[in-house]
Amino acid sequence: MRSSGDSRVGGVPGRRPNGEAPLPLRGGEPGPQAVVPAPAVGYRGPTACVAAGITYRQLDYWARTGLVEPSVRAAQGSGTQRLYSFHDVVVLKIVRRFLDTGVALQNIRGTVQHLRHRDPKDLEGMTLMSDGATVYECTSSEEVVELLQGGQGIFGIAVGVVQRDVEAALAQLHGERVDEGETVVRGGEAAGDELAARRRNRAV
């Protein structure tokens, strides 16, 4: 079990030497980023907003302040559009859920860094628990119970559920084929292939 989200920004998860209890994610440099294949499809800002349930003003502010930046393509001068990956949109939706439950934006930054440095395949069974200040990563029901018994977990976000919600939303929206720069119409082949690949990975 891991935790993040005190007033200090960033951090990498850890455990106590005996591995029995979580250590908070604290200030410091994040660990090595997971090697994730480049996405076949990216999503423009308005599409990311719809799928994540946020406003374009929020999206723009979070990108400009470095909270959640588009990993496929950043805005580069006039006429260019930010392009977000599926994983980016999942993180955007998680941020919105934390804000909805009253967690301060400054306490979310460490969690965002942690999620963005994890392999997306690792997120399926993850639950994020919070007491409003600190965010804990749980990967088993026993860890959730441990936090609840300790009075540390007040609410939780099942990341796998968020992923499936985003999948369903993006399947009905427009994406852009990254290698060709062409718009993929709703239900287009590239978008379908990407989402189907994610489902196959979950089944393995």
Side-chain angles (χ1 to χ4, degrees), residues 62-144:
W62 296 348
R64 287 187 292 104
T65 58
L67 178 66
V68 185
E69 298 176 284
S71 63
V72 178
R73 185 177 69 210
Q76 299 174 340
S78 177
T80 63
Q81 297 245 1
R82 298 185 185 108
L83 212 57
Y84 291 82
S85 69
F86 172 84
H87 186 46
D88 295 336
V89 181
V90 170
V91 174
L92 289 168
K93 192 174 184 72
I94 289 172
V95 171
R96 193 217 78 188
R97 293 222 176 151
F98 276 126
L99 292 176
D100 287 348
T101 55
V103 179
L105 198 59
Q106 66 179 10
N107 291 342
I108 300 173
R109 287 186 177 273
T111 303
V112 169
Q113 288 192 26
H114 175 53
L115 291 174
R116 289 176 70 84
H117 283 80
R118 293 294 299 274
D119 189 318
K121 292 183 294 185
D122 296 338
L123 305 183
E124 177 66 25
M126 181 189 299
T127 299
L128 298 173
M129 302 288 292
S130 180
D131 56 7
T134 303
V135 179
Y136 297 84
E137 173 195 327
C138 300
T139 55
S140 70
S141 58
E142 290 79 9
E143 291 179 340
V144 173

Side-chain angles (χ1 to χ4, degrees), residues 177-193:
R177 192 186 296 272
V178 175
D179 55 352
E180 300 176 9
E182 298 178 353
T183 299
V184 180
V185 297
R186 184 169 56 190
E189 179 182 353
D193 286 350

Side-chain angles (χ1 to χ4, degrees), residues 8 18 42 100 113 126 142 146 155 194-195 198 202:
R8 289 162 288 192
N18 60 11
D100 287 348
Q113 288 192 26
M126 181 189 299
E142 290 79 9
E146 178 186 341
F155 63 87
E194 181 180 35
L195 297 180
R198 290 191 50 75
R202 285 207 307 267

